[in-house]
Structure formats: C-alpha cells, structure tokens
Amino acid sequence: MSQIIINVEAQKDEPNGYDILNRAIFYVSRMISSQKERDFSNSNYNDIKRVYSIWVCMNMPENSLEHIHLVKDSIVNSHAWKGKLDLVNIVMIGLAKELPKHEEKYELHRLLGALLSQNLTANEKLDIIGNEYAIPMEKDFREDVSIMCNLSQKIKETGIETGIEMGKREMIIKMYNKGYTAAQIADVAEMDEKKIKDIIKNAELLTV
C-alpha cells in the first residue's frame, strides 16, 4: 500500500504580493519536515510519505496544468543514488475566466471551472457535472453545490451593495463640499436628511 499526503489550495487569482511557486515550495517542504516523529522517527527516512501540494488558481489568462517535481541531472558520470525522487510534488492548475469547451484536453479544467464558477446556477453546474462526467448526483452532493452557489451569489450581491453604498457616500460628501445643504442633498439622493447629516458628520471626524 502506498500512502501520500495531499494539500489542496484554491486561489481566486495569482497573487501579486509574492511568487505563488515559492509558497508552494514552502508548503511541500513543511509537509515533508512535519512527518518527523509523526510518520517516522529517528533516521528512518525511508518511511517518508510522498507529498502533493495542489494549487487551483482562478481567473487566469488561460487554462494550464503543470507538475513540478525533483529531477536528477548527471554532471560528471552517473551514479544510481538510492532514494525516491517522487517524494516532493507540486501541481499548479490555472483556470481561465471563461469555461472551456467540453473536450478531453480540458476535462479537468471544465469540471473545476464549472464547480467553482460564480456565473453558473446550481442546475447548470449539476447538468455539466452529472451529464458530462457521469458523477452520481446524490442528494447530499446536490445540496452542497446549491449551498456553494447561494454563498457565492450572496458574496457577489454584498460586494455590489457595498460599492453602491460607497458611491452614494462619496457623492454626498462632494455635494456638501460644493455648498449644498443636507436638505438639498437628501432631496437629490432620495434619502433621509438625518442620515445625510450623519454621513457628513462621520466624514468630518475622519478628516480631523
């Protein structure tokens, strides 16, 4: 029996603050070292389990799939060193913004893209997963997909509402700075005058 340790990470996009591959290397290194005194002890290094760090990055320019692992380059002659080169594995999966067509090359990307999409409805996701991939549509699975869709939609709606609210606040402050009274702003914005005054007051406190 072969035992492996798998770590899966999902990213909404490729981060700008650091190189994602460096983070993946850190993760597999930690997964190897953490086995000491847990999966093997003393000098029993032959008991080290193979590790995989799998990264799914969304909103990428194109679909991609890379397996990053150890290789041996013989510089001077060649010696059959004992040991396993397959202990450390990094798998980088890039998902494009648009769902790829149903073809063998992009089977994995279409499945993951459909499951993680914020644009497809629960029924559209289940149709792709069930009909194209013949994955059993059990009740628990359907409920999980529905929950995922409702959560992503709520996050999306909350973001839109927050943006609208921020836009209104900026408009109110600009009008006030140009000399409009709270009553005039309330009339234009179709909001309660007291709320307009509270927004102006809070803005003044922030600038103090």
Side-chain angles (χ1 to χ4, degrees), residues 10 58 95 111-123 125-126 129 140-156:
M58 295 168 272
L95 298 181
L111 176 62
L112 292 176
L115 187 61
L116 300 174
S117 173
Q118 292 187 0
N119 299 318
L120 296 178
T121 65
N123 287 334
K125 291 184 178 186
L126 291 170
I129 295 168
D140 290 345
F141 184 81
R142 287 179 175 274
E143 290 177 352
D144 289 342
V145 172
S146 180
I147 290 170
M148 283 180 61
C149 286
N150 290 337
L151 178 60
S152 63
Q153 182 62 28
K154 182 61 179 175
I155 292 171
K156 191 174 182 180

Side-chain angles (χ1 to χ4, degrees), residues 154-171:
K154 182 61 179 175
I155 292 171
K156 191 174 182 180
E157 290 173 355
T158 301
I160 292 171
E161 290 171 3
T162 301
I164 292 173
E165 189 65 26
M166 289 178 64
K168 279 187 176 180
R169 289 175 184 273
E170 290 179 2
M171 180 193 73

Side-chain angles (χ1 to χ4, degrees), residues 27-40:
Y27 274 38
V28 290
S29 300
R30 186 173 63 180
M31 289 162 68
I32 288 287
S33 64
S34 66
Q35 293 181 51
K36 177 75 171 173
E37 306 305 336
R38 185 190 67 195
D39 297 299
F40 73 94

Side-chain angles (χ1 to χ4, degrees), residues 5 7 13 26 49 51 54 73 76 107 112 114 123 134 154 176 178 185 197 202 207-208:
I5 298 173
N7 158 252
D13 51 29
F26 172 77
K49 293 181 176 65
V51 301
I54 302 172
D73 293 327
V76 178
E107 276 192 336
L112 292 176
N123 287 334
K154 182 61 179 175
Y176 176 73
K178 289 185 177 182
I185 298 172
K197 288 180 178 178
N202 290 333
T207 56
V208 173

